[in-house]
Amino acid sequence: MNEISFETKAVHSGINPEEHNKTTQIPVYGSASFAYNTAEDLENVFQGKQFGYVYSRIANPTITSFEQKINSLENGIGAIGTSSGMAAINSAILALTKSGDQIIASKSLFGGTFSLFNKVISKFGVKIKYVNTCDIKEYENSVNEKTKCIFIEIIGNPKLDIPDIKKIADISSKNNIPLIVDCTLATPYLFQAKNYGISIVIHSATKYLAGNGSTIGGVVIDLGNFNWENFIQPDFNELKNKIAPQLLFLSVARKNILQNIGSCLSPYNAYLLSTGIETLPLRMNKHCENALKLAKFLSNNEKVAQVNYPGFLNNPFHKIAKKYFNNKFGGLLTFKLGNKEKCFKFINNLKIAKNLANLGDAKTLVIHPASTIYHECSQKEKEDAGVSENLIRVSVGIENIKDIIADFSQSLKEV
Ligand SMILES: *Cc1c(COP(=O)(O)O)cnc(C)c1O
């Protein structure tokens, strides 16, 4: 049999009905703990000598099922579900760094990640060296002996810039530094990270993986591209002779960090994510198709100053997006209206699209990033992230696009 295709894995992977009373959807194991008949059994499970679940902060069968499903879609060697996308990023960074280390991060990051790095990670004595997202030389020049990872986003949110991943992966492998990529905006359906030399993938599962705006969740996936044997870090060194080198990162991230920080995924949310993923390919196709149609409509409207969508031929990232995402361009676009007042008026007049802070929902969503997600950032930080006072971000949903265009059209008439 050929390798099973993405769509089939999205539906079938992560659950074996024989292991769960023949259920075809993973049941929600709503149990904090797992009881054992003998003290010896529990001792063995605790010490990893026997497989079993102990406590749901550490692992839970419903969460495992989600982890296996997303891991199979990424072709990874293992995944760790977390309470949110932020928790996924936090766990990965804390696993790799200690006080005095440095990480290199691109400037056009999602506002929440920016805030995590500047307000939390830096407090632990980790220096964040920001580089211009697409300036490969800057990454190269920023590497020093303290650098413990490079962190970028596959598509900058909301700037929609797409760095040359292959070149950044080359720098990371040449210097033996893991490359972490937040692939939330692309999902494994559009972007197969493993093929680009990426070490670790992060997803805010809240977005396209859940697909309905139904829950918060996150995941960290080790793609097996990085050789952890030569990674210098006390937590890793301690484990080096105890477990397979391939599993070092996953083990440190789960046992040393996630387990102690306590940002575990809830089994109920894991269930929602697993069911959401089943329709990911269908939804992504529709998101991309609708986004291109809406982008074209907006670019033909005289009130709209500028539309940013990688699907346009004249977009600076068109070529690279086309190559990475198999001729698709994602579900996010931004556009500019005269000023903040006009943006607010436009948003207030919409009848179908929702004004809220999320993306990747089945529903079309709009937000004014400058006054919301980025309101605490300096002018310079906003500029770097591509956020201006007259910018509106749209996460295009899977409705009939005619209705969304009609909604946008009527609202633009009022502006
Ligand atoms: C939303 C988002 C996050 C944070 O994820 P949460 O699930 O909200 O914690 C991280 N990265 C990107 C690109 C996002 O869009």
Side-chain angles (χ1 to χ4, degrees), residues 164-193:
D164 191 326
I165 303 278
K166 260 250 152 62
K167 286 191 181 144
I168 301 171
D170 284 347
I171 295 169
S172 95
S173 73
K174 200 172 80 190
N175 293 285
N176 202 31
I177 300 165
L179 171 62
I180 308 181
V181 184
D182 180 336
C183 291
T184 300
L185 265 59
T187 82
Y189 181 63
L190 295 190
F191 183 66
Q192 279 289 300

Side-chain angles (χ1 to χ4, degrees), residues 200-254:
I200 296 162
V201 163
I202 302 281
H203 290 291
S204 165
T206 312
K207 314 290 166 56
Y208 292 107
L209 299 184
N212 304 88
S214 57
T215 180
I216 302 285
V219 66
V220 182
I221 303 127
D222 187 335
L223 298 177
N225 283 332
F226 193 79
N227 178 5
W228 298 106
E229 217 158 358
N230 304 322
F231 187 72
I232 312 288
Q233 193 63 285
D235 301 334
F236 285 67
N237 298 346
E238 258 174 47
L239 282 172
K240 267 180 191 165
N241 296 319
K242 296 185 189 143
I243 59 168
Q246 220 190 4
L247 298 177
L248 279 168
F249 168 75
L250 288 167
S251 182
V252 171
R254 188 186 289 279

Side-chain angles (χ1 to χ4, degrees), residues 6 9-10 68-75 188 192 277 280:
F6 189 96
K9 285 202 278 188
Q68 288 174 349
K69 199 187 254 308
I70 184 73
N71 186 54
S72 107
L73 297 181
E74 292 280 8
N75 288 308
Q192 279 289 300
I277 288 174
L280 176 69

Side-chain angles (χ1 to χ4, degrees), residues 42-93:
L42 191 55
E43 180 189 40
N44 284 334
V45 173
F46 244 93
Q47 298 185 7
K49 292 174 188 156
Q50 183 185 318
F51 176 78
Y53 292 93
V54 172
Y55 191 63
S56 286
R57 169 156 48 71
I58 302 164
N60 169 290
T62 315
I63 302 169
T64 302
S65 174
F66 160 67
E67 290 169 343
Q68 288 174 349
K69 199 187 254 308
I70 184 73
N71 186 54
S72 107
L73 297 181
E74 292 280 8
N75 288 308
I77 58 167
I80 303 174
T82 59
S83 57
S84 66
M86 295 318 303
I89 298 168
N90 189 37
S91 304
I93 301 288

